[in-house]
Amino acid sequence: MDGRADWSLRRAVFRLIVLAIFGTALTFAVAPFFAFRAVKAAARDGDGQALAQLVDYAAVRQGLRPQVAAEPVAAPAPPDIWTDPVGAVKRAIEPVVPLPPSLEPYLRAPGLYDLARGYRPGQASADIGDGGFPKLRYWDPNRVRIAVPPKGSKAMETAALFTFERRAAFTWKLVQIRLPEAAK
């Protein structure tokens, strides 16, 4: 009897260890999806403190700058000689310098929430809901890319692409966003 109880205890401990290893591995693998959901929820709720913990703004800003600069920017109307003669003369004399792209609409909470739903900031209406289901595009132990197509779209080229980087064992931080293609 003593041998059976000992064997039963060993089997229970072995099962518990295997279950703990499996649970840890599963948590390790799905942690980026939880980080994405946390970014989306914090952006939806306008929680700036949570977003500061989840987003590496310097890295995201650096990645967004070339994408936004490639987009055509509507130039302001030039000053008219009849309504603003000083502005018109000043514009004629100074060199033409393109306006720097503004990244603020992409990095504020409403813009991040629209991007997390697969839309460019300001292009999603409030009744759309959560948008498309996030899909794993790349998984590596230290880097993950998650694509979010707009609701009802299956095309991955119109998806917003979020890149998360591991900062600790189960901590992921958003480091890059690829903007979705403009709707045609």
Side-chain angles (χ1 to χ4, degrees):
M1 286 286 187
D2 193 21
R4 280 186 165 167
D6 189 39
W7 175 249
S8 177
L9 180 63
R10 285 183 186 176
R11 192 171 4 167
V13 170
F14 177 74
R15 286 182 180 169
L16 186 62
I17 290 172
V18 168
L19 185 64
I21 290 171
F22 180 73
T24 303
L26 183 65
T27 304
F28 182 83
V30 299
F33 281 106
F34 286 112
F36 173 77
R37 291 187 63 216
V39 167
K40 187 175 180 180
R44 180 193 63 222
D45 298 337
D47 189 354
Q49 190 173 18
L51 285 173
Q53 293 176 349
L54 297 166
V55 178
D56 183 354
Y57 280 106
V60 172
R61 190 173 280 117
Q62 182 180 358
L64 279 175
R65 195 168 282 129
Q67 296 178 66
V68 174
E71 295 177 356
V73 177
D80 186 17
I81 191 74
W82 300 110
T83 58
D84 185 11
V86 175
V89 171
K90 182 179 175 186
R91 183 174 185 270
I93 294 173
E94 69 184 17
V96 177
V97 178
L99 295 172
S102 175
L103 299 177
E104 288 307 312
Y106 300 95
L107 296 176
R108 279 195 238 125
L112 282 173
Y113 182 57
D114 285 347
L115 287 168
R117 296 186 301 158
Y119 298 96
R120 288 180 172 269
Q123 289 185 349
S125 62
D127 61 341
I128 288 179
D130 277 347
F133 188 74
K135 294 170 181 58
L136 184 66
R137 293 295 301 262
Y138 176 78
W139 191 91
D140 166 300
N142 294 317
R143 200 169 191 80
V144 171
R145 289 195 177 98
I146 298 173
V148 184
K151 190 171 189 171
S153 172
K154 302 284 187 208
M156 281 294 119
E157 62 271 359
T158 62
L161 190 65
F162 292 83
T163 303
F164 288 87
E165 194 172 87
R166 180 182 306 284
R167 297 295 167 99
F170 297 100
T171 304
W172 292 81
K173 210 160 192 176
L174 178 65
V175 294
Q176 186 180 21
I177 299 173
R178 191 194 77 198
L179 299 176
E181 296 286 325
K184 296 181 169 87

